[in-house]
């Protein structure tokens, strides 16, 4: 894959370093694709930039990429969006993010499941904390191949736990499988963002609850900005990682 990307970059008369800067990748990120699977976001960004299909970057097939021309339906959606107030636009953005992640996963599944009986899943390094919260200052993630089973088939993405507040059920460094959804029921464990801080906690209606008794509950107030990013399904077992 790196050889194809390098050849395409040379065809455009560019350098790898210039492309990485243009796309906001770290220095040397493209060469590291040989040893660490890139996220689907990076693959899509490269395919758009180089004007080739995702399948061509991954497999060397179906090189052509459709032109970026808005359809009538897309233009109609834009027209409707411009008529919404700020709060409604925020809700549209949040819902669109959920649908986009689901769409990306379906696309990956259609590419890889028939051959490998597996699925690819994004594993985020710093989206949540099992302690006192972590600012969402990093969106770094890996694309990982996992065996397809009852648990992984329901997962939309995964996160690495940071902290000990969910012990003994989940410990620091555990990878949790997450089903993308906008709410969870009381007593279910979910991924929450409160005022920009991420947590994995049990939902208590008016509070977020730690399983480790040394941590106090996090109360939810009317003035807090609270988002649920998904429900924790289970811990990803090492034996399920391909």
């Amino acid at each position: 894959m790196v050889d194809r990307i390098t050849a395409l970059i040379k065809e455009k008369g560019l350098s790898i370093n210039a492309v990485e800067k243009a796309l906001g990748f770290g220095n040397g990120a493209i060469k590291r694709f040989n040893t660490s699977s890139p996220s689907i976001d990076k693959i899509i960004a490269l395919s758009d930039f180089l004007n080739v299909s995702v399948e061509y970057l991954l497999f060397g097939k179906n090189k052509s990429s459709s032109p970026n021309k808005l359809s009538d339906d897309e233009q109609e959606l834009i027209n409707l969006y411009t008529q919404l107030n700020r709060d409604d636009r925020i809700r549209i953005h949040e819902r669109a993010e959920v649908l986009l992640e689901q769409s990306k996963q379906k696309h990956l599944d259609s590419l890889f499941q028939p051959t490998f009986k597996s699925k690819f899943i994004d594993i985020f390094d710093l989206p949540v904390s099992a302690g006192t919260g972590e600012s969402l200052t990093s969106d770094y993630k890996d694309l990982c191949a996992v065996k397809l089973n009852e648990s992984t088939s329901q997962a939309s993405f995964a996160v690495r736990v940071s902290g000990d507040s969910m012990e003994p059920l989940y410990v620091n460094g555990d990878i949790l499988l997450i089903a993308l959804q906008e709410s969870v029921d009381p007593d279910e464990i979910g991924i929450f963002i409160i005022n920009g801080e991420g947590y994995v906690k049990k939902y208590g209606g008016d509070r977020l609850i730690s399983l480790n008794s040394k941590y106090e509950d996090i109360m939810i107030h009317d003035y807090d900005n609270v988002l649920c990013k998904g429900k924790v399904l289970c811990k990803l077992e090492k034996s399920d990682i391909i």
Side-chain angles (χ1 to χ4, degrees), residues 118-119 121 123 143-149 152 160 175 177 236-242:
S118 63
K119 69 182 290 184
I121 189 167
I123 300 180
L143 188 64
C144 180
V146 298
K147 296 177 183 177
L148 192 62
N149 55 39
T152 59
R160 288 186 177 91
I175 297 175
L177 294 173
L236 178 62
E237 301 296 336
K238 290 183 179 179
S239 58
D240 287 332
I241 300 175
I242 301 176

Side-chain angles (χ1 to χ4, degrees), residues 99-167:
L99 293 174
L100 179 60
E101 289 299 325
Q102 292 174 341
S103 177
K104 288 178 182 177
Q105 187 60 64
K106 288 179 181 178
H107 180 64
L108 284 173
D109 291 347
S110 68
L111 289 175
F112 297 107
Q113 277 188 24
T115 303
F116 301 101
K117 294 183 179 179
S118 63
K119 69 182 290 184
F120 280 74
I121 189 167
D122 284 328
I123 300 180
F124 288 82
D125 266 353
L126 290 177
V128 296
S129 169
T132 56
E134 259 184 54
S135 296
L136 305 180
T137 56
S138 172
D139 61 353
Y140 181 80
K141 58 186 177 182
D142 271 327
L143 188 64
C144 180
V146 298
K147 296 177 183 177
L148 192 62
N149 55 39
E150 183 177 356
S151 297
T152 59
S153 64
Q154 300 177 60
S156 307
F157 61 97
V159 297
R160 288 186 177 91
V161 172
S162 172
D164 62 353
S165 74
M166 296 304 285
E167 291 183 356

Side-chain angles (χ1 to χ4, degrees), residues 74-89:
E74 290 169 335
Q75 188 60 57
E76 182 180 359
L77 286 173
I78 292 175
N79 293 337
L80 292 172
Y81 178 82
T82 58
Q83 299 177 52
L84 298 174
N85 59 40
R86 181 177 178 277
D87 290 340
D88 287 339
R89 288 185 181 185

